[in-house]
Amino acid sequence: MALSPVMLIAILFVLGTLNIAANKAVVVSGHPMIEALPFTLRENGGRLAVMAEALLLFAAMLLAANGFPSAGWIYVIYSCGTLVAAWVILTGRA
């Protein structure tokens, strides 16, 4: 059974919001790995990194709404990986 485009977009929106929040939390966490990021991604609390995440979300939602549901599922997999990585960093397991 396939998911309707509206449901997929809703899932993408929720995951994207969580992804953006996790990205912001990691950038401002002060974790030593963040120092390896280029300065442009760290300055101003990581605004450029957050904007890139928002653009990825927007593109995935736009593609999913216009007949490319596989782009949405790729973003779901990407978001799950990013959320797991953020959890690992924020809980000090990395």
Side-chain angles (χ1 to χ4, degrees):
M1 182 167 98
L3 227 54
S4 73
V6 174
M7 188 60 136
L8 180 57
I9 290 170
I11 291 169
L12 291 177
F13 180 77
V14 170
L15 280 175
T17 303
L18 291 171
N19 205 9
I20 290 169
N23 185 336
K24 178 72 174 178
V26 167
V27 169
V28 299
S29 71
H31 193 278
M33 286 190 338
I34 302 306
E35 296 300 318
L37 287 174
F39 177 73
T40 54
L41 292 177
R42 289 182 281 134
E43 71 179 328
N44 296 326
R47 284 189 184 154
L48 187 61
V50 170
M51 283 186 357
E53 288 289 342
L55 285 174
L56 276 173
L57 170 62
F58 181 69
M61 290 174 71
L62 202 59
L63 286 167
N66 288 299
F68 297 97
S70 58
W73 290 113
I74 291 169
Y75 186 80
V76 167
I77 294 167
Y78 163 76
S79 289
C80 291
T82 302
L83 291 171
V84 168
W87 174 77
V88 167
I89 292 169
L90 293 173
T91 58
R93 300 178 196 284

